[in-house]
Amino acid sequence: MKKLSLLGLGIGFLAGFTVMAEPVMAQSTLEQIKQRGHLRCQIGTPAPGFYSLDANGQWQGSDVSMCRAVATAIFGDPSKVEFQSVTSAVRFTALANGESDMLSRTATWTAFRDTQLGLKFAGINFYDGQGFLVPKSLGLKSALELKGATVCVLTGTTTELNMTDYSRTNNLDLKPVVFEDSNVRDETYRNGGCDAVTNDKSGLASTRSKFANANDHVILPETISKEPLGPVTRNGDDQWFQIVRWSLFAMIAAEEYGVTSANVDQMLAKPPSPEVARFLGVEGELNKGLGLEKNWAYNIIKKVGNYGEVYEKYMGEGPGAIGIPRAGSQNALWTKGGLMYAPPFR
Amino acid sequence: MANLDAADTTFRPKPNLPPPPNTVGAVGWMRKNLFSSVLNTLLTLGAMWLILSVAYTLFDWGVLKAVWVAENRRECLDRSPDGACWAGVIHWFNTFMYGRYPYAEQWRPNLGLVILILWMLPCWLPRVTGKIGIALSAVIIFPFLAGYLFAGGEKGLILQILVSAGIVTFITIWLHVLSCLLTGRSLPVHILGITGFTDKDDRLHKYPLIGAFGLALIVVLILQSGWEPPEVGTNLWGGLFLTLVISGVGITTALPSGVLLALGRRSRMPIIRVSCIAFIELFRSVPLITILFMAVTMMPLFLPETVTLNRLVQVIIAVCLFAAAYMAEIVRGGLQAIPKGQYEAAQSMGLNYWKMMALVVMPQALKLMIPNIVGNFIGLFKDTTLVSIIGLYDLLLMLKAVSQNPQWNGLYLEPFMFGTFVFFIFCFAMSTYSQHLERTLGSGQVRR
């Protein structure tokens, strides 16, 4: 009898579970987020400039601001985000299985990822590329002079692969010294364990700023890979994809229009141009297709800031930022010779 | 012969000479142990040089050249590039302790810890009865009270009752302890005296006790129903607090579930035995990190989209299952060391299975296994740092986060030194306590 009842219990459990797992009516991502009351935005483990924790336990950085911008577009409140800090090993799984609504972390937009992982890259908010950091005392002017050098590199990343490719293409015979941890890599480099460090240039900038004498080290001009970074959403919900994409465009466009968090209220009261009026929701109904409030873009600029403001705060050369100059780089606005470009708001 | 003086013939040994001064005391010890031969002398000198130079380097870096007050790492580097930057550790101390838990609410984990200590304290006080009950209530009821205290937010009816039960139990325990210490009689005896049940049949004794508890429960339920601390999502829990929550729950559930699994594995009932073996072998043959990944990343794939799982709960469940499987094998080892005669003796006393296990076999088995059990606990405590890989901000990940903050960019050695210190304190305390237990319970003795 005892065995029988146990068996019955097991069957009961199974049956209950199957009923529970019955598929429910699919809700759009936006509805889910509104119902939940906050956005679930995936970021990575701390990386200076992009996403890092401060001593009060708050997330900050340029990719974090992207999450906050989307939350602001939906709720008008940049604090309605749950940040999910996930290692890169499971980043796309955590997006695909519905744990995260979007991903705003240093994920490079590649053909494979865009077409074969069920993901959509919503845009580019940072143009990165791999480079080399060397001591100034070596007197190098170009990465092509690195012949036979030992290079510190993180293992298991595309960084290592890019470096070997570059070495083979240019017959440089670079010898990689691999590390698991960026702190150990940088310490080894500082103590002369290798001649150069290779990483994305944003990472090199923060490595450089770690050292007691940052000016003793230079980043070589060559960029050996293209690393366009931007927010990502899941396939299958175009409206949600467009919300993320246009939140990014709104930040870039605002900078182009000269709308900042400081002057956005004046702009709202007295729009300098019809495009700004449409942008801020004074005229037209650009919000309709997105399913957002009329003042969604206003909220983003007011509470998070435009692209330039965010860049200066976290990536630029001010205090608390990691010190990557923007002028003349690909991350400058298209009007200033860069690649940051937003389609028109009309 | 006769004229010889008796006093002169008596053999009087001279008093022993003191040992040569270079064989006793510190000098003697050193000659014997450190400088007994040329080779040993060389080794000693070499080791001393090594120890001193390491100690001096550490002292020089960590104390002499250290910076204690600074706003950011740049300031540290400017002042003393070769010294430790303890200013960073001090600046981040709160975050190490509580992770992202809001500053204004950090009194809640503190209060929870104080309650736990007060709850368990009576177990070590003399003249207190019912210690097993107190310990059990700390394991069974305290987690609900603490869980709500930490998480806050709205509470449904069941949680209301559980929280109230926690508060009532806590008050009851301390009334009981005070009554034991002051009057020498336990709280139930007093309650029976007041209600006039002392002289009545023993079987009736439970009614006034249950009544008193129920009454207190209702009063507390009404009093605390308005108490609703703001919600702090588990995604904000972190630092040492989170490490302690995960390992605490893991450690407390590991022992009882390990005992049950071990008994199940030795059971004569095939279904129970096979399922216990399957469970133990499955979880023991898979690394913890795999179980964690499974629980956190794969589980949502099998569940409908609307079901949202709490990451921390998933992790805690995974850790508990893992710890239970290991504990089961330790307990089984202990069970196998108990001679068959003990089982037979217990059975001949007329004890049933559970009484035999609880009163005769388990106390001996667990006593034998104390070093292994505590070793396992220490291992589990350190293993919880693996949750950092799946993005829970435990102590280790908080320590790592410092070096990635633009203000403190690259500061990683000092936080890790601090973390080493914290882990050492906890593990050493556990280990010392287990040795103390072994001594008091005499389980270190050789078995005959």
Side-chain angles (χ1 to χ4, degrees), chain A residues 2-3 6-7 17 20-27 32 36 40 44-49 51-60 81-87 89-90 93-94 96-99 181-184 187 190 205-214 234 314 319-322, chain B residues 72-74 77-78 81-82 88 91-96 99-103 106 235-236 268-272 275 293 296-309 311 314 388-393 397-413 416:
Chain A
K2 220 172 197 172
K3 288 177 198 169
L6 259 181
L7 198 68
F17 194 74
M20 257 176 57
E22 202 67 11
V24 281
M25 285 295 288
Q27 237 180 345
Q32 278 178 30
R36 195 190 304 131
R40 289 193 303 206
T45 48
Y51 25 80
S52 57
L53 279 169
D54 66 12
N56 301 319
Q58 298 297 317
W59 284 105
Q60 47 165 295
V81 199
E82 178 193 328
F83 290 104
Q84 301 174 319
S85 169
V86 174
T87 46
V90 292
T93 326
N97 70 15
E99 209 183 323
D181 184 277
S182 60
N183 285 314
V184 183
E187 195 67 23
R190 193 176 70 93
S206 83
T207 293
R208 188 168 166 264
S209 71
K210 274 181 198 180
F211 299 141
N213 294 315
R234 233 183 344 270
Y314 301 113
I322 58 172
Chain B
N72 52 47
R73 183 155 186 259
R74 182 51 50 193
L77 287 177
D78 288 345
D82 302 323
H91 191 78
W92 284 75
F93 182 78
N94 247 25
T95 325
F96 292 156
R100 304 176 53 219
Y101 211 88
Y103 182 72
Q106 285 174 1
N235 63 320
L236 296 180
R268 290 216 186 87
M269 290 179 269
I271 292 187
I272 292 185
S275 46
F293 269 128
V296 171
T297 317
M298 301 302 286
M299 277 269 274
L301 289 174
F302 306 134
L303 293 172
E305 269 183 39
T306 44
V307 178
T308 46
L309 293 164
R311 189 174 270 252
Q314 288 165 275
S388 61
I389 297 181
I390 48 167
L392 284 185
Y393 276 76
L397 207 47
M398 285 315 310
L399 297 171
K400 272 188 184 169
V402 179
S403 68
Q404 305 294 333
N405 180 294
Q407 302 273 340
W408 299 97
N409 196 352
L411 187 81
Y412 74 106
L413 214 52
F416 278 166

Side-chain angles (χ1 to χ4, degrees), chain A residues 28-52:
Chain A
S28 81
T29 313
L30 183 62
E31 282 164 15
Q32 278 178 30
I33 294 167
K34 280 183 173 167
Q35 203 181 355
R36 195 190 304 131
H38 61 257
L39 168 74
R40 289 193 303 206
C41 191
Q42 190 200 124
I43 52 178
T45 48
F50 295 104
Y51 25 80
S52 57

Side-chain angles (χ1 to χ4, degrees), chain A residues 319-337:
Chain A
I322 58 172
I324 307 175
R326 185 168 178 222
S329 78
Q330 290 167 326
N331 294 305
L333 277 184
W334 66 283
T335 48
K336 293 177 183 162

Side-chain angles (χ1 to χ4, degrees), chain A residues 91-98 100-101 103 110-121 232-238 240-241:
Chain A
R91 53 185 166 181
F92 298 125
T93 326
L95 180 65
N97 70 15
S100 320
D101 298 318
L103 179 151
T110 67
F112 173 79
R113 287 174 180 172
D114 206 11
T115 56
Q116 292 186 39
L117 293 179
L119 311 170
K120 268 195 161 91
F121 281 78
V232 189
T233 64
R234 233 183 344 270
N235 270 354
D237 190 339
D238 290 344
W240 174 238
F241 166 74

Side-chain angles (χ1 to χ4, degrees), chain B residues 108-179:
Chain B
R108 281 155 58 178
N110 295 347
L111 180 65
L113 184 67
V114 169
I115 292 181
L116 178 65
I117 292 172
L118 285 180
W119 199 307
M120 295 296 286
L121 185 67
C123 295
W124 288 274
L125 289 179
R127 285 187 293 151
V128 175
T129 53
K131 284 180 181 170
I132 293 181
I134 294 174
L136 272 183
S137 69
V139 173
I140 297 168
I141 303 174
F142 172 75
F144 294 102
L145 180 62
Y148 180 70
L149 183 64
F150 299 156
E154 272 179 53
K155 45 188 175 199
L157 184 66
I158 297 176
L159 201 54
Q160 288 273 17
I161 294 173
L162 284 172
V163 169
S164 310
I167 298 174
V168 173
T169 313
F170 181 64
I171 297 172
T172 312
I173 286 173
W174 270 93
L175 283 178
H176 170 71
V177 168
L178 291 177
S179 120

